[in-house]
Amino acid sequence: MCGIVGFVGKQQAAPILLDGLSRLEYRGYDSAGVAVVSPDGGIDVQKSKGRLQVLSDLIHGGEDMKGCIGIGHTRWATHGAPSDVNSHPHLSEGGKFAVIHNGIIENYVEIKEFLIHQGVHFRSETDSEVVAQLLEFYYNECHDFLEAVGRVLRRIEGAYALGMLCADCPDRIIAARKDAPLLLGYGDGEYFIASDVTAIIKHTREVAYMEDGEIAILTTDGIVVEDALQQPVEKQRHHIDWEVSAAEKGGYPHFMLKEIFEQPEALRRAISPRLKDGRVTLDDMKLSAEQIRNFSRIFIVACGSSYHVGMVGKYNLEHLMRRSVEVCLASEFRYSDPIIDDHTLVIVISQSGETLDTMAALREAKARGAYILSIVNVVGSSIARESDDVLYTWAGPEIAVATTKAYSTQLAVLDMIGLAFGEALGTVDSAEYDAAVEGLQKLPEQLEEVLANCADIQKFASEHFNHNSIFFIGRNLDYALGLEGSLKLKEISYIHSEAYASGELKHGTISLIEDGTLVVALGTYGRLFDKAMSNVVEVKARGADVLALTTDAHRAEMEKTVPNVLSIPNTVDMLLPSLGVVPLQLFSYYVALQRGCDIDKPRNLAKSVTVE
Ligand code: F6R
């Protein structure tokens, strides 16, 4: 999704902006641009469709653009095709204002018609250009940059993170935010705006997150922030303790592979501090045992892979808590008139903490009285800030578009919620609880074991990367796991794939199985192993080529029927998907590698989906 970076300081801005944009590439984009306040007066804008390298070559790594104040943007097209002219920054007709924008201006058509009627000429098809043109229109009336910004913000509707330059006020950037992430960076005599901390972490670790309605004015003297009522706001600063190297590849060919291999460490960070004396201790959660007992309805709300974490969680939480748990896609939940009262708990799951649908679902649930407990990776993100309670996953920055370590850590945190709530409710069997805690303790180590045995997966992938369609089948926890395996495969390899509950095969899907169809049969859940086997036999009988995943305990049994078997170490039932997901991630990775796909930045996808 679109990326924003802005710089005010004493160094030449353009190379810093390009570097910042390069760190946002992972979010997905189709064009890029920068604008710099030129020392000779005026604003210099350079932008181009395609990779950032195209822009960088055009301006010789930024050397060609003089000036120490500027803004940069990577665009992910929504309104108007990817093209040079639709790229940001947008310059107003008179050249006085340059604007970068993330989000969507919902009433842009009406504003555009109004401005055209006033004689303004538009260049692009974007909604964002109206901001630049409207700024100039109001500025021509009031001759005050900040006042013009205020008038624009009162006129536009929708979501925005904005960075704005004015040729008449060459010492500053003005930034504004509503429903789209934007943070401020505090360096030594230099200041930044960014949509994502990775863009500026090389320069500063001191950041503050802008809130909806706030306006920030950045000059070399510092950053002044005002709220919507023009009252000064004292921003709370956060120290980012990620290493810069965490956002670099560190010798791996792709971020995705690096992040797959980081999972044991990420799980240690997510789990260890929350296990004390054999008990799950969620010190970072505010909910009391009494509040937990008072919940009569529980929802899990998320998108994509985070939703798949919820699908696994439903099985585990219902078993541990003996309460029904409804798992909802955030994009559906927000418009579903959900039945919520003040005895409702909504568990929101999001890696980025900025997914617009998830955020909207959270707000809907909160407005109806629900208690919001979120599981989030990005500290200080919008979802984290608007939740009543947050459990961070501490997975570190996830750069590859396809999530891996965020999925694993979200799942571990959700499992720990299940155990802690089960204990508070008195619904979890104590021997099962102890075994689960032991399993959680061993999980990182067992994952290392799975990763050490990845050669078989690579070999199988190199023999089966040419399929047009791949099915994942499984029951119960294995079905939920299959949903994630299938999504991972399709998003990075572009192979059509579906996940089915094995019991459903006979009700329609089995008609798709023919000679040579590849079926990934998931049979890790021991209690239903025999049923999984009979589904394997069924698809084999129709000519399917089967890759099976099971546990070490069942490997020999599975090998009697299937030549290609992968296995994971034995563990308690609830943790099987936590181990099982790793071979599936690796399978997708190696298939995509064989097919020459752009693994870290798959086509049409963005890391953080901040539009509806
Ligand atoms: C798939 C993937 C997406 C995200 C989804 C939600 O690999 O990464 O499906 O899981 O866009 O994103 P977050 O978790 O940031 O809300």
Side-chain angles (χ1 to χ4, degrees):
M1 205 100 315
C2 307
I4 279 184
V5 63
F7 172 79
V8 173
K10 301 225 157 33
Q11 305 181 62
Q12 196 166 331
I16 293 173
L17 297 173
L18 285 176
D19 179 71
L21 292 179
S22 73
R23 290 165 200 282
L24 297 177
E25 279 193 291
Y26 74 92
R27 296 164 66 104
Y29 70 104
D30 46 53
S31 50
V34 288
V36 168
V37 181
S38 160
D40 316 327
I43 299 173
D44 185 5
V45 176
Q46 298 290 341
K47 49 191 191 175
S48 74
K49 181 183 161 190
R51 289 281 172 219
L52 191 59
Q53 193 57 47
V54 180
L55 174 69
S56 180
D57 291 346
L58 189 74
I59 55 174
H60 298 102
E63 285 310 312
D64 290 1
M65 294 179 84
K66 305 295 175 214
C68 302
I69 295 181
I71 51 180
H73 189 264
T74 45
R75 175 173 186 252
W76 193 78
T78 54
H79 293 61
S83 70
D84 291 356
V85 76
N86 286 338
S87 313
H88 301 213
H90 290 289
L91 205 53
S92 58
E93 191 179 5
K96 270 207 163 57
F97 292 90
V99 170
I100 50 176
H101 167 227
N102 285 1
I104 291 176
I105 307 297
E106 285 166 1
N107 59 339
Y108 83 100
V109 174
E110 171 245 306
I111 296 175
K112 192 167 176 173
E113 278 168 5
F114 163 77
L115 288 170
I116 289 173
H117 195 67
Q118 304 295 319
V120 175
H121 295 96
F122 279 77
R123 300 185 186 92
S124 78
E125 304 156 275
T126 65
D127 55 326
S128 309
E129 189 185 347
V130 300
V131 178
Q133 305 291 14
L134 198 56
L135 261 177
E136 191 163 87
F137 177 79
Y138 285 136
Y139 183 80
N140 288 340
E141 289 178 354
C142 68
H143 305 289
D144 180 318
F145 186 12
L146 188 57
E147 170 61 23
V149 169
R151 291 188 191 185
V152 168
L153 300 186
R154 286 192 289 277
R155 179 81 187 260
I156 58 177
E157 288 164 17
Y160 51 80
L162 291 165
M164 296 164 277
L165 296 177
C166 173
D168 288 352
C169 305
D171 65 336
R172 63 194 54 204
I173 296 175
I174 297 187
R177 156 196 166 132
K178 182 175 162 278
D179 292 338
L182 194 61
L183 58 88
L184 305 167
Y186 299 78
D188 188 6
E190 47 189 36
Y191 301 92
F192 303 82
I193 56 169
S195 48
D196 185 325
V197 75
T198 45
I200 58 170
I201 195 168
K202 197 172 146 189
H203 304 281
T204 180
R205 291 169 176 278
E206 298 303 311
V207 304
Y209 299 96
M210 287 186 73
E211 299 292 341
D212 281 354
E214 286 180 351
I215 297 177
I217 303 124
L218 292 83
T219 63
T220 46
D221 293 334
I223 305 179
V224 174
V225 180
E226 291 183 354
D227 64 15
L229 302 171
Q230 292 167 340
Q231 296 306 306
V233 178
E234 199 57 51
K235 294 301 291 177
Q236 190 196 345
R237 295 201 201 171
H238 300 262
H239 181 77
I240 303 296
D241 54 11
W242 296 348
E243 286 311 313
V244 179
S245 62
E248 289 171 353
K249 282 191 203 146
Y252 285 89
H254 295 98
F255 281 113
M256 184 178 175
L257 192 62
K258 175 178 177 245
E259 287 159 8
I260 289 173
F261 276 82
E262 279 174 352
Q263 289 178 106
E265 207 35 56
L267 280 169
R268 277 189 191 99
R269 281 198 299 270
I271 296 171
S272 305
R274 293 173 171 133
L275 295 185
K276 286 185 195 139
D277 305 322
R279 315 243 52 94
V280 173
T281 316
L282 302 179
D283 288 336
D284 43 347
M285 188 180 74
K286 294 184 220 140
L287 272 177
S288 66
E290 197 191 333
Q291 281 174 296
I292 294 168
R293 285 191 285 271
N294 274 334
F295 290 129
S296 54
R297 291 179 72 84
I298 300 176
F299 290 92
I300 300 177
V301 178
C303 299
S305 292
S306 299
Y307 166 77
H308 294 157
V309 168
M311 291 294 286
V312 175
K314 175 183 167 69
Y315 291 109
N316 287 340
L317 266 57
E318 288 189 339
H319 174 68
L320 294 164
M321 295 160 45
R322 306 316 300 150
R323 291 273 200 284
S324 82
V325 175
E326 225 177 300
V327 191
C328 303
L329 290 165
S331 53
E332 291 294 318
F333 178 87
R334 59 184 290 198
Y335 298 120
S336 67
D337 193 10
I339 302 167
I340 286 175
D341 58 18
D342 50 9
H343 293 290
T344 305
L345 171 69
V346 174
I347 302 176
V348 170
I349 308 178
S350 176
Q351 185 285 128
S352 60
E354 302 293 351
T355 303
L356 188 103
D357 280 323
T358 311
M359 184 71 201
L362 178 161
R363 287 181 177 163
E364 181 66 34
K366 206 169 170 183
R368 290 173 185 237
Y371 188 93
I372 312 290
L373 167 61
S374 64
I375 301 175
V376 173
N377 190 34
V378 178
V379 176
S381 55
S382 305
I383 289 175
R385 283 179 288 131
E386 292 201 21
S387 299
D388 297 303
D389 235 329
V390 192
L391 290 172
Y392 284 111
T393 48
W394 300 319
E398 195 178 59
I399 309 291
V401 166
T403 184
T404 52
K405 62 178 179 171
Y407 174 95
S408 301
T409 50
Q410 287 167 349
L411 197 49
V413 172
L414 192 55
D415 286 339
M416 287 188 282
I417 290 176
L419 287 165
F421 281 31
E423 188 172 41
L425 295 165
T427 46
V428 57
D429 171 82
S430 70
E432 191 178 347
Y433 181 98
D434 292 345
V437 169
E438 199 188 327
L440 279 165
Q441 261 152 353
K442 283 204 304 210
L443 191 61
E445 209 179 298
Q446 289 188 313
L447 223 95
E448 276 160 1
E449 215 180 295
V450 177
L451 288 165
N453 293 325
C454 65
D456 289 355
I457 306 171
Q458 188 168 6
K459 181 169 173 289
F460 188 82
S462 69
E463 290 160 1
H464 289 84
F465 67 93
N466 260 337
H467 287 269
N468 292 326
S469 187
I470 299 181
F471 296 93
F472 288 72
I473 60 169
R475 288 171 185 262
N476 195 279
L477 289 168
D478 284 325
Y479 166 53
L481 173 62
L483 291 169
E484 177 60 6
S486 170
L487 178 64
K488 209 88 307 174
L489 182 78
K490 64 190 137 204
E491 67 184 323
I492 62 166
S493 74
Y494 315 144
I495 297 177
H496 168 256
S497 169
E498 301 292 340
Y500 291 104
S502 310
E504 274 294 293
L505 284 173
K506 292 189 203 59
H507 301 288
T509 319
I510 203 158
S511 65
L512 295 170
I513 308 292
E514 55 186 8
D515 252 358
T517 304
L518 181 58
V519 174
V520 180
L522 306 173
T524 68
Y525 187 47
R527 282 201 275 167
L528 294 178
F529 181 77
D530 292 344
K531 302 235 181 262
M533 278 308 296
S534 63
N535 294 123
V536 166
V537 172
E538 251 167 35
V539 293
K540 278 199 75 178
R542 272 105 187 145
D545 223 347
V546 176
L547 169 66
L549 178 71
T550 185
T551 52
D552 291 345
H554 289 99
R555 185 176 182 119
E557 190 60 26
M558 184 67 92
E559 276 173 342
K560 288 183 192 157
T561 314
V562 180
N564 299 301
V565 179
L566 302 169
S567 63
I568 52 171
N570 303 324
T571 184
V572 293
D573 289 346
M574 65 183 278
L575 298 179
L576 288 165
S578 296
L579 290 175
V581 76
V582 176
L584 303 187
Q585 294 165 346
L586 286 167
F587 176 63
S588 304
Y589 174 82
Y590 288 121
V591 167
L593 189 69
Q594 289 285 342
R595 292 166 70 90
C597 299
D598 191 353
I599 292 180
D600 285 337
K601 286 172 256 159
R603 70 184 180 208
N604 306 338
L605 293 178
K607 182 66 184 165
S608 176
V609 184
T610 50
V611 291
E612 189 170 357

